[in-house]
Amino acid sequence: MKCQFVRPIFEKNGFCIYVYHTEDSGVPQGARDNSFKGSGYQFTAKGNNLPANKLADVDLQGNWEKNSHGLQYIVDYFEELKPQSIEGIESYLSSGMIKGIGPKTAKAIVAKFGLRTFEVLDNYPESLLDIKGITRNKLDKILAAYNDGHAVRDLAAYLTPFKVTPKKIRKIYEYFGAEALETVKNQPFALCEIGGFGFLTVDEIARANHCRPNDPLRIEGCINYCMELEMQNGNLYADKPKFQKQVYEQLNRGYVSEVVSEVEVYKVMYQMVHDKALYYEDGALYSAKLYGYETKAARDFAALLVQSYTPPAGIDDLITQAQKDLKILLSDKQVEAVRKAFTNLVSIITGGPGTGKTTVQKVLLYISEKIGEKNILLTAPTGRASRRMAESTGRADAVTLHSALGLNNDEECEAAEEMLSMDFIIADEFTMADMRLSYELFKHIEKGVRLVIVGDVDQLPSVGPGNVFRELVKCGVVPVTVLDMVFRQGKDSRIAANAHRMLKNDAGLDYGEDFIFCQADSAKEAADKVVEYYKAFVDEYGVDNVQVLTPFRKKGDASVNVLNDRLWEIVNPKDSWKAELKAGNALYREGDRIIHNKNKNDISNGDVGYITDIYQDEDGVDLMRLSFSDGRIVEYSAEDADLIEHAYATTVHKSQGSEYKVVILPWLPMFYMMLRRNILYTAVTRAKEKMVVVGSKKALYQAIHNTACDKRNTHLGERIVREYNALLTKKASA
């Protein structure tokens, strides 16, 4: 059925409900929009990644289905059709669908070729060189985009019923090229070669193509999928018997009877171990990648520990001098931390909020300079944490671990080959460092470099797999100092005091002006009160100093997604003079506060900035200009929008390494999966001046008494001890 897009009704995660117009009289009476008085008919269609280009006709194929909303068209297949009029061709070319052709170039092409434009593009593309402004280089780009467009649209049409996003369709095409569609149809499990492509989607495609359910490629894909789930849960390995059962159940899910036997699963798993795609050790099953990170990190870290080292003389005198010159008084534990940092090549400092970790770092830097160390690296896992480190120490040269190691993004890119050959490294907020990042750090530290690792062992572990900081602290072979005296915020501050009460399993929190509790009996009520507090505190402190944190991203009225939408309209409401850009399922407008979600190029995960401009370039491509607090200005296209989101509300996990004057936290029984001490503790310790908890005291008590922190499958600590003892034995016998 030939149609034209009219308007959207609903869009989320690729699923669309759109209104289309058609002249086809086959539209059933019950499906027609009777309020439409023009020629033809308007109706509602449902499907995934449906075309929404008003400038191009589209052929929709599917079936009519009656539901609570009436009769709607369920789209199984679609194909965009080329326009046939001069005006339509020009509009199509200038729409931005073909990169390299903007409004001016489109007008020139149509003026010369008229209705023959598509024939020329298909058969005589060299003729475009006769048009002023089209160079050979530009023509190559235009043709690449035009030809890609055909192939990508065919691929999209085939994959639409399987809820594959446009970005993933583009990724498939870039990976397989012109053979993409045939590959997807005939060898669907080859899609598992593409990073981020889920087994469930691939399996659905394979089932539609009647592939053998016990195909070894299907079993291997499922094993990799289940291993990825383990990684997402923070685990470095899986328990083999449980894992094998999980794979078996996943492969047979949805079938009436067994289609894959346990023996078949075992055979493929055994072959993957033989091929070193998996590693099996003492009941633990690792992916090759994570096994390499854990074993090599343990080896490299142990090697750092056993190095010969002569401490500088007069450290105690320098500690005394530092206190005098910096006008501070160190506690006994702080003195111990400084002393260990200069009497060992590797040491660890851990402590909660206000225990003086920053003060210790200032003393370390003071003494380091006094003994002639000029090459010093200050680093932290995220951009915000590194900038906080720079501000608190008074040194502007703090950088992210990614930057220090030459890692340009979060993908599996190679780190720089250069070693970290400085005199002294302080790695702060190390609880956020996952196994891969830690491996790269330990691997790149040059022999003889002194390393101090700083963090709070009671905070949440890293988002990525592993629990590195905790493993380093508890392994027993690294000098550790625990700071436990509260200095920050003054002795009367309830924030730091309550945080330390939580660690002592004490639910008798002290409430007052700087630690506020507000009762709410439902998520809706909590969300309403969060919004009220947010309005009031933003007026007093400003947008950048007030942060809403919540445990859940998507679930319920008190989730990040729902709260962000509400707070967005308060802080930056729609206005005729503010340009907007739709990117996927998100809408952005000028003035929006955003947070970056991945490390990519010069922008770090957790960086917060503002959208200053939304505009089109000369080729008609929609762009956003983002400005960050340190002066960096970056351009984003709509395709880059998955890297950002609104930053008025974020998850507690996302807030690690950040501090805000005011934190507002919904905390409800419905968060039962997240009612853990380390999550609550992390949220509370983000607040500097005011902490507001909205919700249930019962939920607070439950979290405080729930000491089950994130238990993760890792053997890093044990491996470090084994490698350390082996190296000591080797050293002694040499």
Side-chain angles (χ1 to χ4, degrees):
M1 180 169 52
K2 185 178 177 182
C3 310
Q4 300 85 39
F5 171 78
V6 177
R7 68 178 184 277
I9 295 176
F10 178 82
E11 297 171 309
K12 190 170 183 180
N13 298 329
F15 176 73
C16 313
I17 303 176
Y18 289 162
V19 174
Y20 286 92
H21 175 272
T22 184
E23 299 289 337
D24 193 326
S25 60
V27 178
Q29 191 67 42
R32 299 174 184 178
D33 180 0
N34 295 322
S35 66
F36 175 69
K37 303 303 182 186
S39 66
Y41 314 97
Q42 290 192 358
F43 65 94
T44 303
K46 293 167 64 174
N48 294 291
N49 307 311
L50 297 181
N53 183 4
K54 292 183 178 181
L55 305 173
D57 292 337
V58 60
D59 180 24
L60 300 181
Q61 301 292 328
N63 298 286
W64 296 102
E65 182 181 276
K66 192 168 185 179
N67 54 42
S68 59
H69 299 286
L71 200 58
Q72 296 180 321
Y73 199 62
I74 311 301
V75 180
D76 296 322
Y77 173 87
F78 68 82
E79 181 182 2
E80 287 192 281
L81 306 172
K82 295 171 184 173
Q84 302 300 312
S85 68
I86 293 290
E87 294 80 9
I89 294 171
E90 185 177 328
S91 297
Y92 181 88
L93 292 180
S94 61
S95 68
M97 295 186 67
I98 305 174
K99 290 184 178 179
I101 301 182
K104 189 183 289 185
T105 305
K107 193 174 190 68
I109 293 172
V110 176
K112 185 171 180 63
F113 301 111
L115 295 175
R116 293 182 59 243
T117 294
F118 289 119
E119 181 190 351
V120 170
L121 281 166
D122 288 331
N123 302 310
Y124 314 104
E126 300 290 321
S127 302
L128 268 70
L129 292 170
D130 296 337
I131 296 173
K132 187 178 179 181
I134 297 183
T135 62
R136 166 53 64 182
N137 187 47
K138 188 168 184 176
L139 177 60
D140 290 342
K141 289 180 180 177
I142 290 171
L143 292 178
Y146 181 70
N147 294 327
D148 282 358
H150 286 302
V152 171
R153 281 193 289 276
D154 289 343
L155 190 62
Y158 180 76
L159 291 173
T160 287
F162 304 108
K163 302 180 182 179
V164 181
T165 65
K167 188 169 183 179
K168 285 188 175 179
I169 289 169
R170 169 60 61 178
K171 201 170 183 180
I172 294 169
Y173 181 75
E174 288 173 354
Y175 191 86
F176 293 110
E179 305 299 317
L181 185 57
E182 286 303 307
T183 301
V184 169
K185 286 181 177 180
N186 301 319
Q187 298 175 292
F189 287 104
L191 292 175
C192 292
E193 298 172 15
I194 304 174
F197 216 95
F199 168 79
L200 297 182
T201 300
V202 176
D203 198 38
E204 189 179 352
I205 297 169
R207 292 190 190 196
N209 286 292
H210 306 292
C211 295
R212 288 190 301 120
N214 63 343
D215 186 328
L217 285 176
R218 179 173 182 254
I219 299 172
E220 183 176 337
C222 188
I223 289 170
N224 288 328
Y225 164 71
C226 291
M227 190 60 72
E228 185 68 30
L229 290 180
E230 292 289 338
M231 290 170 57
Q232 290 174 14
N233 290 328
N235 295 318
L236 293 178
Y237 69 83
D239 178 76
K240 183 180 174 294
K242 291 181 181 177
F243 183 79
Q244 192 169 324
K245 184 179 180 183
Q246 180 188 358
V247 173
Y248 169 79
E249 290 175 349
Q250 180 63 55
L251 287 166
N252 288 289
R253 189 165 292 152
Y255 290 96
V256 176
S257 59
E258 180 185 87
V259 294
V260 182
S261 70
E262 291 190 64
V263 172
E264 288 172 315
V265 173
Y266 173 79
K267 284 182 177 177
V268 173
M269 197 176 291
Y270 178 86
Q271 188 62 45
M272 291 177 74
V273 171
H274 180 269
D275 296 339
K276 297 187 176 179
L278 297 174
Y279 279 79
Y280 177 70
E281 186 178 273
D282 298 328
L285 199 65
Y286 289 83
S287 71
K289 177 175 65 179
L290 292 184
Y291 182 80
Y293 292 160
E294 188 179 78
T295 54
K296 292 173 184 175
R299 178 199 64 200
D300 293 340
F301 189 75
L304 296 176
L305 292 172
V306 300
Q307 296 177 86
S308 300
Y309 174 63
T310 303
I315 287 299
D316 286 342
D317 291 338
L318 287 167
I319 294 173
T320 301
Q321 188 64 39
Q323 293 180 88
K324 182 179 177 182
D325 290 351
L326 299 175
K327 296 180 173 57
I328 57 174
L329 180 64
L330 298 178
S331 70
D332 290 345
K333 284 291 184 69
Q334 288 175 310
V335 171
E336 179 190 331
V338 175
R339 190 179 290 118
K340 283 181 178 177
F342 285 99
T343 53
N344 301 275
L345 272 176
V346 181
S347 63
I348 293 174
I349 302 169
T350 181
T355 55
K357 297 189 297 292
T358 298
T359 300
V360 170
Q361 290 183 48
K362 288 179 179 177
V363 174
L364 294 178
L365 291 170
Y366 173 94
I367 295 176
S368 181
E369 291 176 355
K370 286 291 184 183
I371 62 175
E373 294 178 341
K374 296 179 181 179
N375 197 356
I376 300 169
L377 172 64
L378 303 184
T379 186
T382 68
R384 299 195 75 181
S386 66
R387 280 190 292 279
R388 268 189 57 213
M389 193 181 188
E391 291 165 6
S392 62
T393 60
R395 295 178 64 102
D397 53 351
V399 297
T400 65
L401 278 168
H402 282 81
S403 177
L405 296 166
L407 297 167
N408 294 325
N409 54 57
D410 287 327
E411 307 299 327
E412 290 301 311
C413 63
E414 292 291 325
E417 294 183 4
E418 292 82 8
M419 298 292 284
L420 299 175
S421 56
M422 38 274 305
D423 298 311
F424 184 27
I425 299 174
I426 302 178
D428 200 7
E429 296 286 359
F430 210 75
T431 47
M432 292 188 287
D434 62 13
M435 192 69 260
R436 193 268 172 121
L437 198 55
S438 302
Y439 154 70
E440 294 289 1
L441 175 64
F442 302 155
K443 171 186 173 184
H444 281 83
I445 294 177
E446 187 72 78
K447 187 177 180 181
V449 176
R450 200 169 65 259
L451 171 67
V452 174
I453 300 172
V454 184
D456 183 352
V457 77
D458 295 303
Q459 278 193 36
L460 290 166
S462 58
V463 174
N467 201 347
V468 177
F469 188 68
R470 185 177 289 274
E471 289 288 295
L472 297 180
V473 170
K474 75 175 189 180
C475 73
V477 295
V478 190
V480 177
T481 305
V482 180
L483 303 180
D484 52 12
M485 185 181 293
V486 179
F487 299 96
R488 199 182 71 194
Q489 298 167 309
K491 62 181 181 180
D492 298 324
S493 169
R494 293 178 179 86
I495 298 171
N498 283 337
H500 286 274
R501 284 190 179 96
M502 295 173 189
L503 297 181
K504 294 176 181 178
N505 204 33
D506 181 0
L509 305 183
D510 182 17
Y511 302 103
E513 187 179 344
D514 58 344
F515 200 104
I516 301 166
F517 176 80
C518 176
Q519 180 70 35
D521 297 323
S522 68
K524 175 65 168 62
E525 185 184 358
D528 290 343
K529 290 182 176 179
V530 165
V531 170
E532 288 177 22
Y533 275 113
Y534 187 82
K535 284 181 182 175
F537 285 126
V538 163
D539 287 343
E540 183 178 353
Y541 291 92
V543 174
D544 286 330
N545 295 314
V546 183
Q547 188 64 50
V548 175
L549 303 180
T550 178
F552 277 126
R553 175 169 291 283
K554 298 178 181 179
K555 188 177 179 181
D557 290 312
S559 66
V560 167
N561 290 357
V562 175
L563 285 171
N564 251 331
D565 286 345
R566 294 185 65 178
L567 301 175
W568 174 50
E569 292 298 344
I570 292 169
V571 175
N572 193 31
K574 187 179 181 67
D575 200 297
S576 58
W577 62 266
K578 296 177 184 174
E580 295 185 340
L581 174 63
K582 188 153 190 330
N585 300 313
L587 180 67
Y588 297 98
R589 66 174 64 112
E590 290 175 347
D592 281 352
R593 183 172 186 257
I594 59 88
I595 187 168
H596 208 273
N597 284 325
K598 292 183 179 179
N599 293 299
K600 194 169 183 72
N601 300 326
D602 294 330
I603 310 300
S604 300
N605 187 0
D607 282 355
V608 173
Y610 286 87
I611 299 174
T612 56
D613 297 288
I614 293 176
Y615 58 99
Q616 284 189 340
D617 66 9
E618 61 182 10
D619 294 323
V621 178
D622 291 320
L623 296 171
M624 299 183 279
R625 185 176 288 116
L626 273 65
S627 176
F628 293 90
S629 59
D630 58 359
R632 290 169 299 164
I633 297 175
V634 184
E635 284 186 340
Y636 288 70
S637 68
E639 293 179 354
D640 300 321
D642 64 332
L643 300 173
I644 62 172
E645 64 182 2
H646 288 116
Y648 310 106
T650 64
T651 62
V652 178
H653 283 79
K654 196 72 173 176
S655 72
Q656 290 187 91
S658 302
E659 284 188 335
Y660 315 93
K661 286 187 177 180
V662 182
V663 169
I664 306 168
L665 175 73
W667 198 258
L668 299 155
M670 65 168 290
F671 297 157
Y672 61 93
M673 290 180 62
M674 297 291 186
L675 297 182
R676 303 198 303 270
R677 180 190 292 175
N678 57 352
I679 295 178
L680 178 62
Y681 173 83
T682 299
V684 168
T685 54
R686 299 309 91 204
K688 292 195 292 185
E689 295 184 17
K690 286 187 185 293
M691 180 72 209
V692 182
V693 181
V694 180
S696 159
K697 284 190 177 179
K698 182 180 178 182
L700 278 176
Y701 300 154
Q702 186 175 338
I704 291 168
H705 296 312
N706 183 2
T707 58
C709 60
D710 293 83
K711 173 68 174 73
R712 296 186 167 186
N713 292 344
T714 173
H715 289 311
L716 178 64
E718 300 165 31
R719 293 187 191 278
I720 290 172
V721 173
R722 285 202 301 271
E723 293 284 353
Y724 176 77
N725 288 331
L727 287 171
L728 284 183
T729 301
K730 185 179 179 181
K731 197 172 181 179
S733 61

